[in-house]
Amino acid sequence: MSSTPSTSSTPRLTVLGTGYLGATHAICMAVLGYDVLGVDTDRAKVAALNDGRVPFFEPGLPALLRKALDSGRLSFTTDLSAAGEFGDVHFICVGTPQQAGSHAADLRYVEGVTRDLAPYLRRRCLVVGKSTVPVGTAARLTRLLQDNAPAGTEVELAWNPEFLREGYAVEDTMRPDRLVFGIGSAWAEQTLRAAFAPVIRNGVPVVITDIPTAELVKVAANSFLATKISYINAMAEVCEATGADVQDLASALSYDTRIGGRFLHPGLGFGGGCLPKDIRAFVHRAEEVGVGRSVAFLRQVDAINQRRRARTVDLVREQAGGSLEGVRVCCLGAAFKPDSDDVRDAPALDVARMLQEEGAIVSVYDPEAMDNARRVQPTLHYAEGVFDAAADAQVVVLLTEWDQFRSLDPRRLAEVVATRSIVDGRHALDPAEWTAAAWTYRALGRAG
Ligand code: UDX
């Protein structure tokens, strides 16, 4: 790849951080025709990507990585100086996890990569934040960049929040619902438009905002989604106390186009690397800027979500006759949602852990998340497959709604379990089918 400046119509891109977000962005942009350099401090990850291996599970991505590498437009490095030399637009895609012992976002990676990149920025360029950050972070990063870059104020910062869902990361990158450009100048807007030209040509709407608004959009969106999930799960609690059925309730609500049915699926609730930590960091930041009251309801959203995990354990305990001590429980699922191997804040794994803490003998199976789950919860027993996990189980609990679990034949599963007892933590099964096969079926928000 040459180091001479490219034309402004096709800027050369760097992507800093090659996790779920960065790797997907780098690969998709190269497929769309850009020259892209991905950067990560993790040598093993860089080697794997250069070798054509995606270091996590994401449908469709391995084929696109091979295509992008074959085109010669994509490579990965650990060398930030190469990135500074190469890029016209630098995308920051590093993680902002929850701080240990606090609800605040941990900004060390975002600040670290910005500080480390700055000395290599010797010409006009645009640094674009994609990571989810507390509002106000970009202003600090701008100072950090301009104070430390040889190009000084020729280096501009913009914010372009990322909304990709794991499992649909390719689709969400190629055809997002919208692009949000938080910019401080007409040049920044023009440069971002050039950096997303093929996506914009596909008819994707662009929303131009100031930088603080762009920082806020992501947490506002994720807070709304989390609230919608917790809303229906709060209704599930009311249903449980009144003998009503939350599935039927959600279905009736969903026909109202003002409400809509998406993110209205009751069950074990949300987890993952975004929703839980984003709502907590948002509350923390709002309190810092004196508007904690405005988003205090998000504490309730979080509490409702946590209660679903405890309630799932209650249902398993009830199914087991009142105590989990020595009870063999088969846990189907570990990932925080299907089509992902991500176990960050995974409700499924949390439930498996809680069951074990109460004395249950827990056997876990997940189609993709076994290695990650083993790392996080090494003391659980991990089975080879569904039927191995369910062998002699006294209770089966479905925790992640993989298609493989949705399509389970209750009669076949009955052949291996000790007791036909199932808790459906995700409303993924047809209760009539399971009760017809002589199973005792329980689900959150439904009469027992
Ligand atoms: C989310 C946002 O959707 C995405 O826009 C953002 O960029 C990153 O965070 P993701 O974490 O990949 O994406 O997962 P998502 O599909 O949003 O699901 C989040 C959690 O909510 C999962 O644990 C899922 O099981 C749960 N969920 C989702 C429900 O419990 N009920 C629903 O109705 C929908």
Side-chain angles (χ1 to χ4, degrees), residues 408-412 414 420-422 429-442:
L408 273 174
D409 178 350
R411 287 188 174 75
R412 269 210 67 200
R420 298 183 190 200
S421 165
I422 187 148
L429 307 172
D430 176 1
E433 201 189 324
W434 287 72
T435 45
W439 284 77
T440 318
Y441 174 95
R442 295 292 306 275

Side-chain angles (χ1 to χ4, degrees), residues 67-79:
K67 188 173 167 187
L69 291 173
D70 288 348
S71 75
R73 287 192 296 269
L74 177 65
S75 64
F76 296 89
T77 180
T78 54
D79 181 4

Side-chain angles (χ1 to χ4, degrees), residues 163-166 218 229 263-265 270-271 274 336-337:
F163 305 99
L164 69 81
R165 297 159 299 168
E166 290 174 23
K218 174 63 183 280
I229 298 168
F263 275 70
L264 207 62
H265 302 293
F270 59 82
C274 288
F336 84 103
K337 66 172 188 180

Side-chain angles (χ1 to χ4, degrees), residues 132 162-168 172 178 218 221-222 225 228-229 232-233 261-276 278 305 335-338 340 342 345-347 399-401 426:
T132 306
E162 181 58 62
F163 305 99
L164 69 81
R165 297 159 299 168
E166 290 174 23
Y168 299 89
D172 287 351
R178 77 301 210 184
K218 174 63 183 280
N222 277 355
L225 294 171
K228 209 171 169 192
I229 298 168
I232 199 63
N233 283 335
R262 295 179 72 188
F263 275 70
L264 207 62
H265 302 293
L268 187 44
F270 59 82
C274 288
L275 262 48
D278 284 355
N305 195 51
F336 84 103
K337 66 172 188 180
S340 170
D342 196 344
D345 207 339
L399 299 169
T400 312
E401 67 277 33
R426 293 290 182 179

Side-chain angles (χ1 to χ4, degrees), residues 36 43 54 56 65 87 90 93 139-140 143 167 169-170 187 209 214 216 264 311 395 416 419:
V36 183
R43 285 178 190 284
V54 178
F56 50 86
L65 173 60
H90 304 276
C93 295
R140 263 201 345 270
R143 286 194 294 278
V170 171
W187 177 78
T209 70
L216 265 177
L264 207 62
R311 181 66 189 135
V395 186
V416 300
T419 315

